[in-house]
Amino acid sequence: MSKVYFTDFKASSKDNVFSKTKKLFEKTGFKEKIHKNEFIAIKTHFGEYGNIAYIPGQILRILVNIVKEMEGRPFITDTNTLYRGSRSNAVDHLNNAYMNGFVSEVTGAPVIIADGLRGNDFRTLNFDGKHFNEIKIASAIYDSDAVIVTTHVKGHELFGLGGALKNVAMGCVPSSGKQIIHSDLKPKVIEKRCTGCGSCKKRCPSFAISLNSNKKAVIDQEKCISCGECTVICPYGAIPVLWKTDHKSLHERTAEYVKGIIGSKPGRWIFINFIMNVAPHCDCCFWNDIPIVPDIGILASTDCVAIDRASADLVNKADIITGSILKDKKVEKDNITSLHNIEWKYLLEYAEEIGLGENRYDFIEI
């Protein structure tokens, strides 16, 4: 079984979240895989402006310092978004990152947008899969020598769980890769829920959304590129996904992309999941709702499947926070499934089937 290391958030004058993060990382043994003068990507999510549930830059500095201790060259990175907004190009993305505190004075390392100015700086790799014969990977991720993937665990409207797999699939590829992964979706507006706020219209990358005479959003199916971002961004749940088949195709393409990306540098990836501020929605939203469960802890593993399964198990075992969106729902299966009625396990099961990792894990608390 794959090893998943865990530490909780209990703190004292002798041991706080910084020292715990360092001990957790060192326990994995990955520190010894960082070599002098190597470029080490620290993959994170800079958060939309208005959303404060992302991993703080002060925590990332702990990882930066470890890389520097090994004489590596760390940089903090993410890719541009497919949707229009404050992270759709490198200039706006960097400004957004700086506003959210991701500056070298805080993190100790520069920020690099991995797929370039306009999201078209990438490499194409051969891949032998069910859905793809090639995948696209952001150039800065491809050119790095090792990658430390830091993930803020949360709910997600399309995946159920927003974990390491989703982070790699969406955060290490250019916009064109994101669109290909999402290509099995077709959203539709529920008029009675739509308030005409225009959030979806502002974010649509293909300009497929307009407001009709009743101030209701309308999606032009001919222009729609099936990216699913309107579903994610709608604050009122007015744009559910209409799957051409079901969610399984999206999850399969996601797992295949992750396998191709990780295969670009075998053995040089580590995943660190922070189960804190577990918002019900993706960090791409420009708000974060009340967390659904209390802060739980930090996990680390070299197996992206095992760490996501362990994260899901911990979230599902946790008590629901009063006032959260989950408190108003009828939890019939588990906390994560009940959020968006998405069967999150399939992504992990398919990932294991194609050899990406294991769902069984050895849980090691430090």
Side-chain angles (χ1 to χ4, degrees):
M1 292 187 293
S2 297
K3 291 181 171 59
V4 177
Y5 297 90
F6 172 80
T7 183
D8 59 31
F9 281 124
K10 294 178 182 177
S12 68
S13 59
K14 296 180 180 180
D15 206 14
N16 60 20
V17 67
F18 295 161
S19 59
K20 287 193 168 193
T21 300
K22 183 177 181 181
K23 285 192 291 187
L24 186 72
F25 186 90
E26 292 178 341
K27 190 71 175 178
T28 67
F30 196 81
K31 181 177 178 180
E32 305 308 317
K33 294 187 178 183
I34 299 172
H35 306 131
K36 184 176 180 179
N37 292 329
E38 286 189 331
F39 292 105
I40 310 299
I42 300 176
K43 166 67 183 79
T44 195
H45 188 299
F46 299 122
E48 286 287 334
Y49 191 67
N51 185 321
I52 58 172
Y54 50 83
I55 303 167
Q58 295 92 329
I59 293 179
L60 298 184
R61 184 163 193 144
I62 303 303
L63 304 174
V64 168
N65 289 343
I66 291 173
V67 174
K68 288 182 175 179
E69 181 183 332
M70 303 306 291
E71 299 186 75
R73 295 171 173 168
F75 65 96
I76 300 173
T77 192
D78 197 4
T79 56
N80 292 310
T81 59
L82 176 58
Y83 59 80
R84 293 183 293 148
S86 62
R87 296 186 301 122
S88 61
N89 64 77
V91 173
D92 292 344
H93 203 158
L94 287 170
N95 285 331
N96 184 93
Y98 300 156
M99 286 191 294
N100 282 345
F102 293 93
V103 293
S104 58
E105 290 85 355
V106 174
T107 64
V111 172
I112 295 175
I113 304 305
D115 58 341
L117 180 63
R118 298 179 183 273
N120 55 10
D121 185 3
F122 62 88
R123 307 290 181 85
T124 301
L125 305 178
N126 293 329
F127 183 79
D128 182 17
K130 176 180 177 181
H131 296 276
F132 303 109
N133 55 27
E134 65 178 26
I135 63 119
K136 300 175 181 180
I137 178 174
S139 291
I141 298 294
Y142 179 83
D143 290 334
S144 62
D145 296 292
V147 185
I148 301 170
V149 179
T150 64
T151 301
H152 167 234
V153 175
K154 63 274 178 185
H156 196 277
E157 294 82 346
L158 304 181
F159 295 94
L161 175 76
L165 287 168
K166 186 265 178 188
N167 191 9
V168 172
M170 295 298 116
C172 293
V173 305
S175 298
S176 54
K178 294 178 175 69
Q179 193 276 319
I180 292 170
I181 294 171
H182 285 89
S183 63
D184 207 38
L185 316 176
K186 282 295 180 181
K188 183 179 180 180
V189 178
I190 298 176
E191 280 201 7
K192 63 181 180 180
R193 293 184 185 175
C194 179
T195 66
C197 70
S199 296
C200 56
K201 179 182 177 182
K202 293 176 183 177
R203 306 278 280 218
C204 180
S206 60
F207 301 92
I209 302 178
S210 59
L211 297 181
N212 62 20
S213 58
N214 295 323
K215 300 299 181 182
K216 302 291 185 178
V218 177
I219 300 173
D220 186 332
Q221 296 295 318
E222 294 299 319
K223 292 182 179 179
C224 176
I225 61 172
S226 305
C227 67
E229 290 298 336
C230 54
T231 294
V232 172
I233 203 62
C234 178
Y236 306 102
I239 314 180
V241 167
L242 298 178
W243 306 92
K244 291 180 183 176
T245 52
D246 57 24
H247 68 278
K248 291 183 177 180
S249 182
L250 168 67
H251 291 191
E252 288 175 1
R253 289 195 299 274
T254 298
E256 289 189 7
Y257 241 76
V258 175
K259 185 177 181 182
I261 292 166
I262 291 176
S264 68
K265 51 182 99 299
R268 304 304 305 278
W269 295 76
I270 186 170
F271 308 92
I272 306 176
N273 283 9
F274 291 79
I275 310 180
M276 62 184 191
N277 296 319
V278 185
H281 305 292
C282 179
D283 289 345
C284 293
C285 298
F286 49 87
W287 73 90
N288 58 283
D289 201 358
I290 295 172
I292 59 172
V293 296
D295 291 350
I296 296 172
I298 312 168
L299 300 95
S301 179
T302 54
D303 185 331
C304 56
V305 178
I307 196 171
D308 274 3
R309 186 54 187 256
S311 299
D313 290 345
L314 289 170
V315 171
N316 284 331
K317 290 176 183 176
D319 294 331
I320 297 172
I321 291 181
T322 300
S324 72
I325 189 174
L326 199 57
K327 198 68 176 178
D328 298 328
K329 293 179 177 286
K330 187 176 182 180
V331 179
E332 296 181 341
K333 294 183 179 180
D334 57 61
N335 291 343
I336 297 172
T337 304
S338 300
L339 263 180
H340 304 292
N341 197 30
I342 296 293
E343 184 45 73
W344 55 271
K345 293 179 184 177
Y346 186 73
L347 171 59
L348 302 180
E349 291 167 353
Y350 186 77
E352 181 173 32
E353 180 182 326
I354 63 175
L356 188 52
E358 298 179 284
N359 276 276
R360 296 175 67 239
Y361 55 89
D362 184 11
F363 191 78
I364 304 169
E365 189 167 358
I366 67 169

